Amino acid sequence: MSKVLIIGAGGVGSVVAHKCALNSGVFTEILLASRTKAKCDKIAAEILEMHGVTIQTAQVDADIVAETVLLIKRFQPKVLINVALPYQDLTIMEACLATGVHYLDTANYEPKDVAKFEYSWQWAYQQRFKDAGLMAVLGCGFDPGVTQVFTAYAAKHHFDELHYLDIIDCNAGDHGKAFATNFNPEINIREITQPGRYWENGEWIEIPAMSIHKPIEYPCIGPKESYVLYHEELESLVKNFPTLKRARFWMTFGQAYITHLNVLENVGMTSIKPIKFQGMDIVPLEFLKAVLPAPDSLGENYSGQTSIGCQIKGIENGEEKTYYVWNNCDHAECYREVRAQAVSYTTGVPAMIGAMLMLTNEEWMKPGVYNVEELNPDPFMDLLNQHGLHWNERINVNLPHEY
């Protein structure tokens, strides 16, 4: 039906490529591109061996708009899935505008030299994409992404008003490493070492990093200590659901992980400020990334599950109501299907689904820049069940939060 260009050949990019190949009736030609072509070639060989599908590969430096434009003009895709680094979102969006290609990503833009991520830079592209007749879908992974689809589904089918939203994210897996991050270490560590932030009574409340925490019970996993972080989907959710009185994001961390992180932070290894080393400028966090296990190397022998969902309290027909919707994903099952661990899988599958809806669902495809909660959640929810991310729901159960 359509050509798709995937930029980024890390753990998530590999999952996207595998899942697009498994849906070759929609994605009739696939090009996987990265700064390092050898990584793309390895994934392509794996896909051919496992699924019997041939995909193309290419080298591209997505920091350079002109280079990305040349690649797009040569391949002529209908949609580009950006699973490269968040620093590259704007240059890739510019390339899409220059070539008339629809755009989708899984994480919002953040400047390389500042640990700050927000949607304002990408929302500013709204009119340009509308005028060009192109669509840009932002943050179409799991969180951000599916958590917003879950929220939109709850608002459409279960509530007249949403009042309280708690997004809860647990990885109860064991990869056997002393310390490793489940997605890009540079992005992961920047995210969790910055101050926490949540929305309450019409304003953002900032807190010291990891300072609010409590055990939360996760289905089929049990209680896990969970910490309030700032996460990007909160910014768009409070904008698009203005009745929310409070919105928070919780993520689990084991004590060993926190101990390692504290030591690394105390000795300066999580800093993004360049330092002089043997006459060269190096960024400590970039060096740390180079010595940590790559996220796409963690899949084999990874055991356990992830559990990510939304716990919501609000009003329906004048009565208070609670709603919990979630997905549990098994690391070992993901590895058997696409040679990936569940954190990469839960991000990559929704990216494929979002691109599929852009290509096949007339209601979804419309010019402009959108967060996924602004689009009809129903077809997305249906496709989650069809493509490996089955969801569950509980209505009017006690939730582990104070209201």
Side-chain angles (χ1 to χ4, degrees):
M1 182 180 290
S2 297
K3 294 181 177 182
V4 60
L5 169 57
I6 304 162
I7 296 184
V12 175
S14 176
V15 172
V16 175
H18 274 267
K19 295 299 279 191
C20 286
L22 286 165
N23 291 277
S24 56
V26 174
F27 305 102
T28 50
E29 289 187 53
I30 302 163
L31 174 60
L32 177 63
S34 172
R35 194 189 306 268
T36 307
K37 187 174 181 293
K39 294 173 69 176
C40 302
D41 293 339
K42 180 177 180 291
I43 293 167
E46 196 173 72
I47 288 171
L48 180 61
E49 178 188 351
M50 294 178 67
H51 315 307
V53 176
T54 299
I55 72 168
Q56 302 174 51
T57 63
Q59 191 278 331
V60 68
D61 184 346
D63 287 329
I64 303 171
V65 174
E67 200 170 308
T68 310
V69 166
L70 284 175
L71 179 65
I72 293 172
K73 285 183 174 179
R74 188 172 80 236
F75 184 61
Q76 296 188 330
K78 187 166 184 181
V79 64
L80 184 153
I81 301 176
N82 169 19
V83 281
L85 293 171
Y87 320 138
Q88 298 170 316
D89 288 358
L90 302 189
T91 55
I92 296 175
M93 290 178 79
E94 290 288 350
C96 286
L97 284 167
T99 53
V101 171
H102 302 293
Y103 170 91
L104 178 143
D105 67 32
T106 61
N108 68 4
Y109 173 74
E110 60 178 287
K112 191 170 178 61
D113 57 349
V114 183
K116 177 182 181 181
F117 46 95
E118 60 184 52
Y119 280 114
S120 60
W121 290 285
Q122 291 179 280
W123 284 341
Y125 279 75
Q126 173 70 271
Q127 197 59 49
R128 292 178 65 192
F129 269 81
K130 273 191 175 179
D131 291 345
L134 296 173
M135 185 179 198
V137 176
L138 308 181
C140 194
F142 206 105
D143 46 352
V146 174
T147 51
Q148 290 146 279
V149 174
F150 282 170
T151 305
Y153 183 81
K156 180 176 180 179
H157 295 285
H158 292 282
F159 293 97
D160 299 318
E161 289 187 7
L162 306 181
H163 288 173
Y164 299 93
L165 168 66
D166 287 277
I167 298 169
I168 59 171
D169 182 326
C170 170
N171 179 15
D174 180 9
H175 47 55
K177 309 290 185 184
F179 182 79
T181 61
N182 291 286
F183 59 96
N184 185 291
E186 196 177 345
I187 304 304
N188 186 201
I189 291 172
R190 281 165 63 119
E191 177 182 291
I192 64 178
T193 55
Q194 70 170 318
R197 202 157 52 120
Y198 63 92
W199 180 260
E200 188 165 32
N201 296 325
E203 63 179 358
W204 291 106
I205 309 296
E206 188 168 294
I207 59 173
M210 314 285 274
S211 60
I212 295 179
H213 56 96
K214 66 180 178 181
I216 292 176
E217 183 88 16
Y218 294 87
C220 304
I221 292 172
K224 293 288 181 181
E225 198 69 14
S226 306
Y227 297 77
V228 171
L229 309 179
Y230 176 67
H231 224 241
E232 60 209 74
E233 64 262 47
L234 295 179
E235 180 184 13
S236 66
L237 285 168
V238 300
K239 171 177 174 279
N240 290 313
F241 297 101
T243 61
L244 281 170
K245 299 178 181 179
R246 188 181 68 209
R248 300 179 295 191
F249 182 95
W250 303 78
M251 183 175 281
T252 61
F253 297 97
Q255 191 54 54
Y257 184 97
I258 292 173
T259 299
H260 277 86
L261 186 64
N262 286 341
V263 171
L264 291 168
E265 193 169 13
N266 288 340
V267 299
M269 285 304 298
T270 62
S271 172
I272 61 174
K273 294 180 180 178
I275 62 168
K276 285 288 183 187
F277 177 73
Q278 296 184 349
M280 297 182 298
D281 283 334
I282 68 164
V283 175
L285 183 53
E286 291 180 359
F287 178 80
L288 178 61
K289 173 186 173 181
V291 300
L292 287 176
D296 58 3
S297 72
L298 300 175
E300 192 171 9
N301 301 318
Y302 209 141
S303 60
Q305 295 184 344
T306 62
S307 182
I308 311 173
C310 295
Q311 297 184 329
I312 302 169
K313 184 176 181 181
I315 299 292
E316 183 183 41
N317 298 324
E319 300 288 332
E320 287 192 344
K321 181 178 183 177
T322 66
Y323 181 68
Y324 178 23
V325 56
W326 78 94
N327 161 265
N328 273 35
C329 192
D330 186 271
H331 287 289
E333 288 181 9
C334 296
Y335 188 77
R336 283 191 290 271
E337 183 190 351
V338 296
R339 294 293 183 268
Q341 37 93 348
V343 177
S344 295
Y345 190 90
T346 54
T347 305
V349 173
M352 181 279 293
I353 289 174
M356 179 181 284
L357 287 171
M358 292 169 76
L359 295 172
T360 63
N361 188 295
E362 291 182 1
E363 184 184 5
W364 254 65
M365 176 58 83
K366 52 186 177 180
V369 176
Y370 299 95
N371 296 94
V372 289
E373 71 268 23
E374 298 177 88
L375 305 163
N376 183 6
D378 294 353
F380 205 114
M381 295 289 279
D382 290 342
L383 289 173
L384 286 170
N385 281 331
Q386 294 175 37
H387 294 285
L389 292 176
H390 301 277
W391 51 275
N392 308 274
E393 61 184 353
R394 291 178 184 165
I395 298 170
N396 283 332
V397 294
N398 289 329
L399 299 178
H401 309 293
E402 303 75 34
Y403 299 108

